[in-house]
Amino acid sequence: MCREHSVPLFLDAARFAENAWLVTQREAACRDMSPRQVAEQAFRLADGCLMSAKKDGIVHIGGFLGLRDRALAERCELLLIATEGFPTYGGLAGRDLDMIALGLTEVTEPSYLQARADAAGHLARLTRDAGIAIVEPPGLHALYLNAGRLLPHIPAHRFPGHALACQLYLEGGIRSVELGSLYLGSEDENGDPVTAAPYELVRLALPRRTYGLSHLNRVGEVLAATAKDKERIPGYRVVEQPPLLRHFRSKLEPVRT
Ligand SMILES: Cc1ncc(COP(=O)(O)O)c(C=O)c1O
C-alpha cells in the first residue's frame, strides 16, 4: 500500500522480536514460522527502521537508524554532524556496538522469547488474582493495569493511573508509569479538566534478563496489598507543569478531593 502511494515505510523496530513472536503465536498463517523469519519478512518490506536498542537489542544503551537509500543516509549523516558530531565521535562505545550485534541475534531465539512470555503470563495471573484488571491478553514487554477500574473513587482529573503508580512505589518500591489522563488528557489554564484519556492505565514494564520468579512474586504481593486497601489511595493534583511533555516533567501532590 505504501509503495502504491509513494510513501516510504519505516519500522519502529524497538520491539521487533517480541512482536514477531506474538505474530507466530496469534496469526494462523504464521504459526509454522520462526520469530526470526517473521522479522525478516517485515524488514524486507521496509525502506528503513529506527531502533531503540535498549529494548530488543538487549543492551543498556544505544540505537540506530537503518536506511536502504544511500542518498538519504548521507543526508541524515550531515544532519547528525550538524547536531551531534561525526558518527565516529563515539556516541556509542565499541563495547556497546558489540553487545547490540550479539543482542540482535539472541533476541529472536524462541526459548528466550518463550521465557519472556512466561514471565508476563505469570505476573498477569498474579495481577488478576490480586483483583486488578489488565489489558488482555498480555504481551511480552509489560502489563497494563486498569487503574480506572480499580480506583473508581478517583476521577480522571485526579489521575487514578498516577495515583496507583505512586502507591506501588510507596508500598513496594515498584517503578511504573501512568498512561492515562496525565499523559493524554488536557486541562485549561486554571487547571480545570477539559478532556480525559479513554483509559486510565499503568504500565508495569518487564526489563529483559533482570527479574526472576521471586521478584515477580514480590510484585504480586505488593499488588495484592495495594488492591486490598485501595480506598485509602488519594488522587493527585498537578502543582507544576512544563509547556510541553507534562507527563514527563510535571510535579504533583496528593489530594483527597
Ligand atoms: C516502540 C518504541 N519505540 C521507541 C521508543 C523510544 O526509545 P528511546 O527511549 O530509546 O528513545 C520506545 C520506548 O519505550 C518504544 O517503546
Side-chain angles (χ1 to χ4, degrees):
M1 236 171 99
C2 284
R3 239 163 249 146
E4 216 173 282
H5 296 280
S6 302
V7 173
L9 173 66
F10 285 86
L11 301 183
D12 177 338
R15 305 183 192 282
F16 79 96
E18 296 186 348
N19 289 338
W21 191 85
L22 288 171
V23 167
T24 67
Q25 302 297 303
R26 296 182 184 172
E27 293 189 21
C30 302
R31 201 170 291 146
D32 296 328
M33 292 170 75
S34 68
R36 194 185 173 101
Q37 286 169 326
V38 172
E40 280 171 356
Q41 198 163 317
F43 281 109
R44 259 199 300 276
L45 292 171
D47 295 292
C49 71
L50 294 100
M51 177 76 186
S52 171
K54 291 181 284 184
K55 286 85 180 185
D56 278 354
I58 331 185
V59 288
H60 303 119
I61 195 68
F64 55 85
L65 179 60
L67 299 162
R68 287 194 195 280
D69 180 339
R70 187 167 291 277
L72 181 58
E74 276 167 15
R75 274 167 53 204
C76 291
E77 196 175 342
L78 281 178
L79 207 58
L80 182 71
I81 296 168
T83 56
E84 191 175 296
F86 279 94
T88 49
Y89 278 2
L92 268 178
R95 177 199 61 185
D96 295 316
L97 290 169
D98 280 348
M99 284 173 72
I100 291 175
L102 196 59
L104 289 176
T105 310
E106 289 185 2
V107 75
T108 55
E109 278 296 321
S111 58
Y112 159 83
L113 291 163
Q114 181 70 57
R116 290 278 289 158
D118 290 348
H122 179 69
L123 189 57
R125 277 189 297 282
L126 296 177
T127 308
R128 291 186 206 105
D129 290 350
I132 301 178
I134 56 169
V135 175
E136 300 277 6
L140 274 70
H141 89 283
L143 295 189
Y144 290 82
L145 313 182
N146 191 330
R149 202 177 289 173
L150 182 73
L151 306 173
H153 62 285
I154 304 178
H157 71 283
R158 290 289 172 245
F159 310 121
H162 188 73
L164 179 58
C166 288
Q167 195 61 28
L168 295 178
Y169 187 71
L170 293 170
E171 187 88 36
I174 296 169
R175 294 188 304 149
S176 58
V177 68
E178 187 256 18
L179 289 168
S181 290
L182 184 60
Y183 182 35
L184 295 168
S186 64
E187 296 172 339
D188 62 21
E189 56 280 9
N190 306 316
D192 293 322
V194 178
T195 54
Y199 298 101
E200 303 294 342
L201 303 176
V202 170
R203 183 177 82 165
L204 272 191
L206 289 160
R208 292 156 186 79
R209 293 179 170 166
T210 306
Y211 296 133
L213 215 53
S214 54
H215 294 108
L216 300 181
N217 290 342
R218 163 84 184 132
V219 174
E221 284 167 19
V222 173
L223 289 171
T226 303
K228 209 167 149 201
D229 220 2
K230 59 186 186 172
E231 282 79 20
R232 79 188 158 96
I233 300 176
Y236 279 74
R237 180 173 82 87
V238 175
V239 289
E240 235 183 88
Q241 60 179 316
L244 279 177
L245 302 174
R246 80 167 175 172
H247 181 243
F248 290 106
R249 300 298 299 265
S250 43
K251 292 191 175 147
L252 296 97
E253 65 178 15
V255 278
R256 287 279 161 198
T257 53

